[in-house]
Amino acid sequence: MKIGILGGGQLARMLIESSYKFGFDFKILANEEDSPAGMVTRYFQKGDYNNESDLIEFAKDCDVITLENEFIDYKKIEALEKLNKKVYPRSKVIKLVQDKFFQKDTLLKAEIPVADFVKVENKEDIIKFAKEHSYPVILKSRTMGYDGKGNYKIDSESDIEEGIKTLKARGELMCEKFINFDKEIAVQAVRNHKGEIEVFPVVETVQKNHICNIVRASKNLFDEKIVKKVNEITKKILEQLNYTGVIGIEMFLTKNNEILVNELAPRVHNSGHYTIEGCYTSQFENHIRAILDLPLGNTEMTSGSAVMINIIGEKESEPDMEDLSGVLRNEKTYVHNYRKKKSLPGRKMGHITVLRDNLNEAEKIANECRRMIDV
Ligand SMILES: Nc1ncnc2c1ncn2[C@@H]1O[C@H](COP(=O)(O)OP(=O)(O)O)[C@@H](O)[C@H]1O
Ligand SMILES: [Mg+2]
C-alpha cells in the first residue's frame, strides 16, 4: 500500500508518523529536498503539486492520494480523478472550501449557522452591508487566506478603502459581520467511505497574531448542550459534503451560547495536534484509516485534559531544538520538532502537548516548556 501526500510540511510528517506502524509506504510530492515529511520517508518526488505533469507522474505508483493543504488547484485534482486515481478529499470539496464565499454560502443553504456575510464587488457593497449589520465588519479575501492574512477589520467607513487596497491582490472579496465571540472553538471529525463518523472532543483555540497558539481540550470544558450542538453541526457538514477523511472545523461560541461555523479545513488541523497523545486514536491515524476505508479508531481522550502549545518562530534563525531535556523532565509531556531548517517570525516550528487531569496545571506546564525553547 503506497499512500501519496501532496505537500511535505508538518501535517504530512505527522500523517506518516501516525501510520507507518501499519506497514504502509508514504510518498511525498514537495518542492523542497529536505522537507519535514520528506525526512521521514524514502519515497520522495521533487515537484510542484500545481504542475499537472508532476502530479500525474507522482500519482502513477500511489494507491491513494491525500493532501495537507487546500490551496492546491482543484482542477489539478480533477485531472487525477479523471485518470481514476483515488484522491481524498475529492476535488469537489477542495473547490468548495477554496473559496470562502462559496463555502459560507453552501453552509448557509444547508442551514448551518454562520455569521451574516455578503459578496463584495465594490466599496458600496460594504457600506450597504454595514448599514444593515452595523460596524465593525470584517473584510476577507475569498481565496488564499490563512493565519489571518486575508482578513481586514473595518471599524468605520473610513477604513474601507485601505481594506480593499490591502486585500485586493489576493483575489475577490467578501464581507462578514464581526462576531464578538466569547471563545473560538474547533473540532475535528472523520468519516470513512462507509459513512461511519467519529467526532473528536470539542476544543478551545487561542490565537496569537491570528495564528493558533494554544489548544485546550478537557472532558468537561463545555456544557453538554454545546457539545451536542457542535456534534450535530459537524455530522451534518460531513454528510452534506459526502466527505472522506479528517476535516477541521473552526467555530465561534458567543456569550449566549450560539455556535457559528467560521471555516472548514479539508484536512488534519493544528487544533487537533493534541490528539496524538491526548486521544486513543489521533486525527492523523484516523485520516489514514478513513481514506483506506478501515474501521475508525476511538477518539476519546486518554486523560482528563490536554493542552497543546505551538512552537512558533519569533526571529529569523537556524533553530537549535536539540536540547529537549528541560521539557522532557516533565511527565506526560510530548514534544514534536518539525525539523524546519530555518525559523522565521510566525513559522510553526513544532509543538508541545501536556496531559494532566487538571487543565490549568497542563497549561502552566505547557507555557513553562514553551519558554525553554528558543526559536
Ligand atoms: N466574522 C468574524 N468575526 C470576528 N472575528 C473573526 C471573524 N472571522 C474571522 N475572525 C478572526 O480572524 C481569525 C482568522 O480568520 P479565518 O476566517 O479563520 O481566516 P484564516 O483563513 O486566516 O484562518 C479567526 O480565527 C478569528 O479570530
Ligand atoms: Mg481560520
Side-chain angles (χ1 to χ4, degrees):
M1 171 63 61
K2 194 181 272 177
I3 300 163
I5 308 176
L6 307 179
Q10 67 266 23
L11 300 181
R13 180 180 172 104
M14 289 185 273
L15 281 168
I16 298 172
E17 286 173 340
S18 77
S19 298
Y20 65 70
K21 64 190 174 199
F22 292 132
F24 304 144
D25 289 326
F26 287 88
K27 187 179 170 195
I28 292 298
L29 179 64
N31 271 320
E32 198 191 341
E33 204 72 56
D34 276 323
S35 64
M39 284 177 199
V40 294
T41 183
R42 54 201 279 233
Y43 301 104
F44 162 72
Q45 183 183 315
K46 192 174 162 66
D48 180 353
Y49 48 61
N50 276 322
N51 176 313
E52 203 165 309
S53 60
D54 283 359
L55 259 189
I56 289 171
E57 177 61 31
F58 177 78
K60 270 185 191 154
D61 64 339
C62 293
D63 298 296
V64 57
I65 293 166
T66 189
L67 38 103
E68 64 153 10
N69 94 60
E70 58 277 26
F71 297 130
I72 178 162
D73 181 0
Y74 76 91
K75 290 195 188 106
K76 305 280 159 51
I77 301 292
E78 237 169 38
L80 288 182
E81 287 167 342
K82 282 191 187 124
L83 294 171
N84 283 327
K85 285 287 168 189
K86 292 183 201 158
V87 190
Y88 305 106
R90 296 177 186 86
S91 59
K92 238 179 85 188
V93 174
I94 308 287
K95 180 181 176 186
L96 174 87
V97 171
Q98 233 156 42
D99 184 323
K100 285 184 176 171
F101 177 77
F102 283 139
Q103 190 190 124
K104 283 252 151 77
D105 206 42
T106 306
L107 292 171
L108 185 71
K109 284 181 181 140
E111 291 175 15
I112 286 163
V114 292
D116 291 325
F117 65 96
V118 71
K119 196 192 280 189
V120 169
E121 262 145 31
N122 51 46
K123 189 176 167 181
E124 280 63 44
D125 293 335
I126 304 173
I127 296 174
K128 185 164 169 262
F129 181 78
K131 224 173 240 156
E132 287 160 18
H133 299 273
S134 77
Y135 290 103
V137 296
I138 185 156
L139 190 64
K140 289 189 179 184
S141 77
R142 285 170 53 173
T143 52
M144 299 305 284
Y146 69 97
D147 291 345
K149 289 186 184 20
N151 291 359
Y152 196 100
K153 188 174 170 221
I154 295 185
D155 288 307
S156 70
E157 201 174 317
S158 60
D159 292 338
I160 295 180
E161 266 167 37
E162 192 57 34
I164 293 179
K165 211 173 102 192
T166 308
L167 298 183
K168 213 170 50 188
R170 288 180 185 271
E172 290 183 71
L173 303 176
M174 65 182 286
C175 186
E176 260 177 44
K177 187 174 165 59
F178 187 85
I179 304 299
N180 203 354
F181 52 78
D182 183 34
K183 285 188 174 120
E184 284 196 74
I185 61 175
V187 73
Q188 303 80 42
V190 58
R191 184 173 182 267
N192 64 13
H193 301 270
K194 288 186 201 81
E196 289 166 351
I197 293 177
E198 287 284 341
V199 183
F200 284 89
V202 185
V203 298
E204 179 181 357
T205 65
V206 185
Q207 340 296 324
K208 189 170 152 188
N209 303 322
H210 306 279
I211 303 172
C212 173
N213 184 41
I214 285 182
V215 173
R216 301 180 179 127
S218 187
K219 281 182 178 160
N220 301 312
L221 193 56
F222 299 102
D223 201 84
E224 244 175 68
K225 273 192 215 139
I226 291 171
V227 174
K228 192 166 166 257
K229 215 153 112 196
V230 169
N231 276 268
E232 279 166 12
I233 291 172
T234 301
K235 285 182 181 158
K236 200 164 165 188
I237 292 173
L238 286 170
E239 271 154 13
Q240 282 281 330
L241 299 177
N242 188 22
Y243 195 83
T244 302
V246 164
I247 194 169
I249 308 178
E250 298 175 11
M251 307 181 194
F252 300 133
L253 179 63
T254 68
K255 288 188 181 68
N256 34 15
N257 283 342
E258 196 187 357
I259 292 161
L260 299 167
V261 172
N262 175 37
E263 64 167 346
L264 311 179
R267 53 172 167 79
V268 286
H269 194 258
N270 196 170
S271 61
H273 291 0
Y274 81 94
T275 63
I276 298 175
E277 297 88 6
C279 294
Y280 288 105
T281 315
S282 74
Q283 61 165 348
F284 300 99
E285 181 180 324
N286 257 339
H287 180 70
I288 299 297
R289 289 185 185 218
I291 64 174
L292 298 177
D293 208 22
L294 294 166
L296 301 175
N298 184 309
T299 54
E300 282 171 275
M301 289 185 72
T302 54
S303 68
S305 302
V307 170
M308 190 279 325
I309 188 162
N310 271 334
I311 302 170
I312 297 174
E314 283 167 359
K315 54 180 184 278
E316 188 170 339
S317 67
E318 276 180 29
D320 177 10
M321 289 173 63
E322 293 273 297
D323 181 12
L324 299 173
S325 53
V327 176
L328 297 179
R329 203 160 283 136
N330 296 284
E331 61 161 5
K332 297 183 194 164
T333 299
Y334 307 91
V335 61
H336 295 254
N337 175 357
Y338 306 150
R339 289 287 310 277
K340 293 184 183 174
K341 279 182 239 111
K342 204 168 145 190
S343 175
L344 287 172
R347 180 174 278 179
K348 290 172 181 167
M349 304 300 293
H351 75 264
I352 297 165
T353 299
V354 182
L355 307 184
R356 287 291 182 278
D357 282 332
N358 181 284
L359 182 69
N360 293 335
E361 193 189 331
E363 187 157 339
K364 187 168 158 272
I365 297 165
N367 275 305
E368 282 167 10
C369 288
R370 172 63 192 87
R371 283 194 288 273
M372 293 176 198
I373 294 172
D374 181 30
V375 287

